[in-house]
Amino acid sequence: MFSCWLSRLCRGLSTPTGRVTHLIQGSLSRRLMLSSQRIPELSSFVARTNTCGELRSSHLGQEVTLCGWIQYRRQNIFLVLRDFHGLVQVVIPQDESAASVKKILCEAPMESVVQVSGTVISRPPGQENPKMPTGEIEIKVKSAQLLNTCKKLPFEIKDFVKKTEALRLQYRYLDLRSFQMQYNLRLRSRMVMKMREYLCNLHGFVDIETPTLFKRTPGGAKEFVIPSREPGKFYCLPQSPQQFKQLLMVGGLDRYFQVARCYRDEGSRPDRQPEFTQIDIEMSFVDQIGIRSLIEGLLQYSWPSDKDPVVVPFPSMTFAEALASYGTDKPDTRFGMKIVDISDVFRNTKVGFLQDALSKPQGTVKAICISEGAKYLKRKDIESLRKLAADHFNQEVLPVFPKANRNWNSPVAKSIMEEQRSELIRLMEIQEDGVVLLTAGEHRKACSVLGKLRLECADLLEARGLVLRDPALFSFLWVVDFPLFLPKEENPGELESAHHPFTAPHPSDIHLLHTEPKQVRSQHYDLVLNGNEIGGGSIRIHDAELQRYILATLLKEDVKLLSHLLQALDFGAPPHGGIALGLDRLICLVTGAPSIRDVIAFPKSFRGHDLMSNAPDSLPPEELKPYHIQVSWPADSEAEKSSLNQPYHPES
Ligand code: ASP
């Protein structure tokens, strides 16, 4: 495991990091070729001559100085030294004359930091370690210095040692020493560097920082509130630089980008962080195709060299098709098991809940087919799928085994007639051992439940050893033609923006804005990778009147809060559009990390806490005074109040 991460890290660091493929002119071209092919100098300006991980037989005889942490010691003869780049074996001198060196290296506790100087020698024949990239050599030490000792650690710094996430987050600075975290963060840095290179050097984008102290704005996610010294006045942390980047277009900075920190107070969600990073982009005089090509080129250019290259252009799918075939707006297209409308097969059904659904005007019957389901799924699996559908979607799901004759004596399944069974087999191309999961109801609801079950089935089958989603495959997809508005969740009679209120309507649907706004499609596009939304954007409204109408009349928002933007649109705003890529999620998928917290140096816990420093933390009343704030403690929070000056206990 370790050697696999290490070799990937080393390969990534020591191979040229990609090639400039675009035609660029003159000296810029030469500079770029140089910068993109250069192997970074890893030991400039510091006490070491080399990294622990880089030494090979080609270094034999060289005098080197290394700095690192003590990873292992064996019989007071060998020491394994570690830095971010890898491990190297150091031979502890045994002769009397080097007694002081031996003492340092034998007495320093594990994870102490040492500096050693010596000669690179080859290991005696038969003692090479082919699993270690530096396994052919060792260091014959002449001098050593203990730079700092290490006390007893809360966990061992070895990737294979299991630790809870809470403990990792509490001691994040130790967790960062793991090769896995080193790999993730260094890969992230390299990809961002390549993105900057692509955007700024190849395509003339300007990197502009926008404020993080902003104000409340309508629509979108919930914002974090920041008190100010003016009574009753608050800043907000921006959920994205959306308004600023549009204003930059009005200001003539017509190709903007930023590695932007965004903040959303959305409570705890497993795959979200209250603060996260976007590659935020905006351009003037651009259409959807322009933005899509830019992003395809950006990902292709910044893609790690140790992965299969990105193939462009990415396929695209309309929102309607994504919902109908995959039950979601972020389909995982690495595997089939698509949703099929089988309403016509069941027009004369005797099965009650199907009959019921089809008697309604919007009623449908839908199904997915799990190939080899009868072979790999157990009865309890199917039952748990049905329970999930019932508990979370209030939907009935019927399992049918059209060819395997294993209906578990279900009376409902038995009432499926022979011609319905054979029509189902034909329509869904069902093979031996195929299991059909069937549900009925309104189109969107039936698709949503089957979309969820499709993913659950893939998990179940993969847990049984089938490979449905090749882990080496990166399946990008554009989802387009979203509706401009959706019914508000809490009040379906009202509308909310499907993306955000600045998204332009689809040109062919503008005439419906005044009559049937729900039918209007938008110029919003999402980028999906392996079933995860990794980016989204839109062509914007640049006409102040249209923007005002959408905000005030259709979305019922207070336009005064956006008067600065509306005014700017009135002062010759160019047509513009943009996109933001969710950097954390993208890197998480590229590295195959189990959570976005594994690609963020100092993430918040699941509950939004910093377990290392104990943020958010309480403040004594006198510190709140300048902000005109008083805490109104909930009745049961005596403990909280008295914890103001207590030592901190992390989440378990
Ligand atoms: N600001 C948008 C978001 O954060 C992205 C965009 O429309 O460019 O989702």
mmCIF file of all heavy atoms in Angstrom, residues 319-336:
data_model
loop_
_atom_site.group_PDB
_atom_site.id
_atom_site.type_symbol
_atom_site.label_atom_id
_atom_site.label_comp_id
_atom_site.label_asym_id
_atom_site.label_seq_id
_atom_site.Cartn_x
_atom_site.Cartn_y
_atom_site.Cartn_z
ATOM 1 N N PHE A 319 -30.931 17.751 -18.981
ATOM 2 C CA PHE A 319 -31.443 17.470 -17.630
ATOM 3 C C PHE A 319 -32.594 16.458 -17.714
ATOM 4 O O PHE A 319 -32.677 15.519 -16.920
ATOM 5 C CB PHE A 319 -31.906 18.788 -17.000
ATOM 6 C CG PHE A 319 -32.722 18.616 -15.761
ATOM 7 C CD1 PHE A 319 -32.107 18.361 -14.554
ATOM 8 C CD2 PHE A 319 -34.107 18.710 -15.799
ATOM 9 C CE1 PHE A 319 -32.849 18.186 -13.395
ATOM 10 C CE2 PHE A 319 -34.862 18.542 -14.653
ATOM 11 C CZ PHE A 319 -34.231 18.283 -13.442
ATOM 12 N N ALA A 320 -33.478 16.644 -18.722
ATOM 13 C CA ALA A 320 -34.653 15.774 -18.837
ATOM 14 C C ALA A 320 -34.221 14.325 -19.070
ATOM 15 O O ALA A 320 -34.760 13.380 -18.470
ATOM 16 C CB ALA A 320 -35.541 16.255 -19.985
ATOM 17 N N GLU A 321 -33.214 14.156 -19.915
ATOM 18 C CA GLU A 321 -32.730 12.809 -20.210
ATOM 19 C C GLU A 321 -32.047 12.193 -18.982
ATOM 20 O O GLU A 321 -32.208 11.003 -18.691
ATOM 21 C CB GLU A 321 -31.716 12.932 -21.352
ATOM 22 C CG GLU A 321 -31.365 11.655 -22.042
ATOM 23 C CD GLU A 321 -30.269 11.910 -23.089
ATOM 24 O OE1 GLU A 321 -30.101 13.068 -23.539
ATOM 25 O OE2 GLU A 321 -29.574 10.934 -23.424
ATOM 26 N N ALA A 322 -31.281 13.018 -18.263
ATOM 27 C CA ALA A 322 -30.576 12.528 -17.067
ATOM 28 C C ALA A 322 -31.590 12.023 -16.049
ATOM 29 O O ALA A 322 -31.429 10.953 -15.458
ATOM 30 C CB ALA A 322 -29.721 13.642 -16.469
ATOM 31 N N LEU A 323 -32.658 12.810 -15.881
ATOM 32 C CA LEU A 323 -33.674 12.421 -14.903
ATOM 33 C C LEU A 323 -34.390 11.145 -15.363
ATOM 34 O O LEU A 323 -34.581 10.213 -14.581
ATOM 35 C CB LEU A 323 -34.678 13.564 -14.715
ATOM 36 C CG LEU A 323 -35.740 13.302 -13.672
ATOM 37 C CD1 LEU A 323 -35.129 13.289 -12.275
ATOM 38 C CD2 LEU A 323 -36.852 14.358 -13.728
ATOM 39 N N ALA A 324 -34.748 11.096 -16.653
ATOM 40 C CA ALA A 324 -35.532 9.957 -17.139
ATOM 41 C C ALA A 324 -34.706 8.666 -17.130
ATOM 42 O O ALA A 324 -35.224 7.594 -16.834
ATOM 43 C CB ALA A 324 -36.046 10.252 -18.547
ATOM 44 N N SER A 325 -33.424 8.736 -17.446
ATOM 45 C CA SER A 325 -32.640 7.502 -17.572
ATOM 46 C C SER A 325 -31.860 7.148 -16.322
ATOM 47 O O SER A 325 -31.508 5.995 -16.112
ATOM 48 C CB SER A 325 -31.636 7.626 -18.720
ATOM 49 O OG SER A 325 -32.311 7.853 -19.916
ATOM 50 N N TYR A 326 -31.533 8.161 -15.504
ATOM 51 C CA TYR A 326 -30.687 7.883 -14.330
ATOM 52 C C TYR A 326 -31.313 8.373 -13.020
ATOM 53 O O TYR A 326 -30.742 8.185 -11.960
ATOM 54 C CB TYR A 326 -29.312 8.542 -14.500
ATOM 55 C CG TYR A 326 -28.540 8.010 -15.689
ATOM 56 C CD1 TYR A 326 -28.630 8.621 -16.944
ATOM 57 C CD2 TYR A 326 -27.725 6.888 -15.559
ATOM 58 C CE1 TYR A 326 -27.939 8.125 -18.038
ATOM 59 C CE2 TYR A 326 -27.019 6.393 -16.640
ATOM 60 C CZ TYR A 326 -27.127 7.021 -17.873
ATOM 61 O OH TYR A 326 -26.435 6.527 -18.945
ATOM 62 N N GLY A 327 -32.443 9.054 -13.118
ATOM 63 C CA GLY A 327 -33.157 9.494 -11.914
ATOM 64 C C GLY A 327 -32.453 10.571 -11.127
ATOM 65 O O GLY A 327 -32.730 10.772 -9.942
ATOM 66 N N THR A 328 -31.504 11.283 -11.749
ATOM 67 C CA THR A 328 -30.750 12.309 -11.046
ATOM 68 C C THR A 328 -30.196 13.311 -12.055
ATOM 69 O O THR A 328 -30.101 12.992 -13.247
ATOM 70 C CB THR A 328 -29.581 11.666 -10.262
ATOM 71 O OG1 THR A 328 -28.739 12.681 -9.744
ATOM 72 C CG2 THR A 328 -28.732 10.749 -11.123
ATOM 73 N N ASP A 329 -29.787 14.491 -11.543
ATOM 74 C CA ASP A 329 -29.158 15.445 -12.456
ATOM 75 C C ASP A 329 -27.642 15.264 -12.466
ATOM 76 O O ASP A 329 -26.921 16.049 -13.074
ATOM 77 C CB ASP A 329 -29.537 16.890 -12.093
ATOM 78 C CG ASP A 329 -29.148 17.247 -10.668
ATOM 79 O OD1 ASP A 329 -28.629 16.378 -9.950
ATOM 80 O OD2 ASP A 329 -29.376 18.416 -10.272
ATOM 81 N N LYS A 330 -27.148 14.244 -11.761
ATOM 82 C CA LYS A 330 -25.706 13.953 -11.830
ATOM 83 C C LYS A 330 -25.474 12.455 -12.055
ATOM 84 O O LYS A 330 -25.022 11.730 -11.151
ATOM 85 C CB LYS A 330 -24.970 14.458 -10.598
ATOM 86 C CG LYS A 330 -25.700 14.354 -9.294
ATOM 87 C CD LYS A 330 -24.803 14.892 -8.188
ATOM 88 C CE LYS A 330 -25.405 14.691 -6.834
ATOM 89 N NZ LYS A 330 -26.585 15.511 -6.578
ATOM 90 N N PRO A 331 -25.782 12.003 -13.260
ATOM 91 C CA PRO A 331 -25.723 10.559 -13.508
ATOM 92 C C PRO A 331 -24.300 10.011 -13.485
ATOM 93 O O PRO A 331 -23.385 10.661 -13.977
ATOM 94 C CB PRO A 331 -26.299 10.404 -14.923
ATOM 95 C CG PRO A 331 -26.642 11.746 -15.412
ATOM 96 C CD PRO A 331 -26.193 12.771 -14.429
ATOM 97 N N ASP A 332 -24.165 8.832 -12.898
ATOM 98 C CA ASP A 332 -22.904 8.104 -12.978
ATOM 99 C C ASP A 332 -22.989 7.246 -14.242
ATOM 100 O O ASP A 332 -23.686 6.232 -14.263
ATOM 101 C CB ASP A 332 -22.727 7.228 -11.740
ATOM 102 C CG ASP A 332 -21.336 6.625 -11.677
ATOM 103 O OD1 ASP A 332 -20.678 6.551 -12.747
ATOM 104 O OD2 ASP A 332 -20.901 6.238 -10.584
ATOM 105 N N THR A 333 -22.301 7.686 -15.268
ATOM 106 C CA THR A 333 -22.444 7.014 -16.573
ATOM 107 C C THR A 333 -21.393 5.914 -16.763
ATOM 108 O O THR A 333 -21.202 5.431 -17.865
ATOM 109 C CB THR A 333 -22.329 8.049 -17.712
ATOM 110 O OG1 THR A 333 -21.231 8.930 -17.427
ATOM 111 C CG2 THR A 333 -23.591 8.868 -17.837
ATOM 112 N N ARG A 334 -20.738 5.510 -15.663
ATOM 113 C CA ARG A 334 -19.764 4.423 -15.811
ATOM 114 C C ARG A 334 -20.438 3.068 -15.941
ATOM 115 O O ARG A 334 -19.810 2.086 -16.277
ATOM 116 C CB ARG A 334 -18.808 4.398 -14.610
ATOM 117 C CG ARG A 334 -17.799 5.510 -14.619
ATOM 118 C CD ARG A 334 -17.016 5.514 -13.339
ATOM 119 N NE ARG A 334 -17.871 5.736 -12.180
ATOM 120 C CZ ARG A 334 -17.459 5.669 -10.921
ATOM 121 N NH1 ARG A 334 -16.210 5.353 -10.653
ATOM 122 N NH2 ARG A 334 -18.289 5.916 -9.920
ATOM 123 N N PHE A 335 -21.718 3.004 -15.629
ATOM 124 C CA PHE A 335 -22.414 1.720 -15.787
ATOM 125 C C PHE A 335 -23.845 1.970 -16.254
ATOM 126 O O PHE A 335 -24.353 3.079 -16.174
ATOM 127 C CB PHE A 335 -22.373 0.917 -14.472
ATOM 128 C CG PHE A 335 -23.183 1.523 -13.351
ATOM 129 C CD1 PHE A 335 -24.408 0.977 -12.992
ATOM 130 C CD2 PHE A 335 -22.725 2.629 -12.661
ATOM 131 C CE1 PHE A 335 -25.157 1.527 -11.956
ATOM 132 C CE2 PHE A 335 -23.467 3.196 -11.625
ATOM 133 C CZ PHE A 335 -24.681 2.640 -11.271
ATOM 134 N N GLY A 336 -24.459 0.896 -16.766
ATOM 135 C CA GLY A 336 -25.794 1.002 -17.367
ATOM 136 C C GLY A 336 -26.908 1.027 -16.326
ATOM 137 O O GLY A 336 -27.034 1.967 -15.584
#
